[in-house]
Amino acid sequence: MARKPTKKMSAEAPRKKSHKGTIVLTCSIVVVTLLVFAMPTVMLLFFGMLPSFVAFIIDRTSEKYATFCVSAMNFTGLFPYMMDLWIGSHTILAAIDTLTNVFSLFVIYGSSGFGWLIFSSVPPVTSTILSAFNQKRVSTLRSRQRTLIGDWGEGIAHKDKSDTFDAETTAAGPSPAPSPA
């Protein structure tokens, strides 16, 4: 029995360089910089965007429509408090005050709940509207069909067996004109 050839690294095949170490280093530098200089903003974003993280985990579809709806509305509810933090005192104490205020948490998490409401209610409404448009189009086409049948007769609606016009004859091209006798 012959052995299968094994893949060996030859001098001809260059190694692919991995940029994984560079990406990890860059991300680490960005995270450390944000934690040092923008810790209040990071705190507010982390705790405020928790419903978005949950939506990302729960949403199993490849399009991630639930994640987009919830994240957009969640960030909309969080943004005024981030502006207050940026314009006012950008301290950890101010971020904690915002996160412990029941009204601000209600607005932030309530807006993400509104995102879930949009995600769950818009597709059925859109489907109903499109179905109504399609039914109207079908009734318009049936009315037009009845008018054509009235003008041209019943034979226009159904293919007769004596009708020789079909896809094969049109694919072959036009038939030659009869020669005069």
Side-chain angles (χ1 to χ4, degrees), residues 34-150:
L34 282 175
L35 288 176
V36 169
F37 293 109
M39 183 62 170
T41 302
V42 171
M43 283 177 53
L44 200 60
L45 275 173
F46 179 77
F47 289 109
M49 296 296 284
L50 282 176
S52 299
F53 300 136
V54 170
F56 179 76
I57 293 169
I58 290 174
D59 192 6
R60 298 281 181 163
T61 62
S62 61
E63 295 87 12
K64 300 286 186 191
Y65 292 134
T67 304
F68 287 132
C69 287
V70 173
S71 297
M73 294 307 297
N74 191 195
F75 188 74
T76 302
L78 180 65
F79 190 71
Y81 299 104
M82 286 178 54
M83 289 298 294
D84 287 343
L85 187 67
W86 292 339
I87 292 172
S89 62
H90 192 256
T91 61
I92 293 176
L93 185 60
I96 290 173
D97 286 343
T98 301
L99 290 173
T100 56
N101 186 354
V102 176
F103 179 73
S104 64
L105 287 178
F106 179 75
V107 170
I108 294 168
Y109 293 153
S111 63
S112 65
F114 191 67
W116 278 111
L117 181 70
I118 290 172
F119 172 72
S120 63
S121 65
V122 168
V125 170
T126 305
S127 175
T128 303
I129 291 171
L130 289 176
S131 176
F133 283 145
N134 290 338
Q135 288 175 357
K136 177 64 177 165
R137 179 74 176 146
V138 166
S139 67
T140 303
L141 289 174
R142 290 202 190 275
S143 171
R144 178 78 174 131
Q145 183 182 26
R146 282 192 291 274
T147 304
L148 286 173
I149 290 173

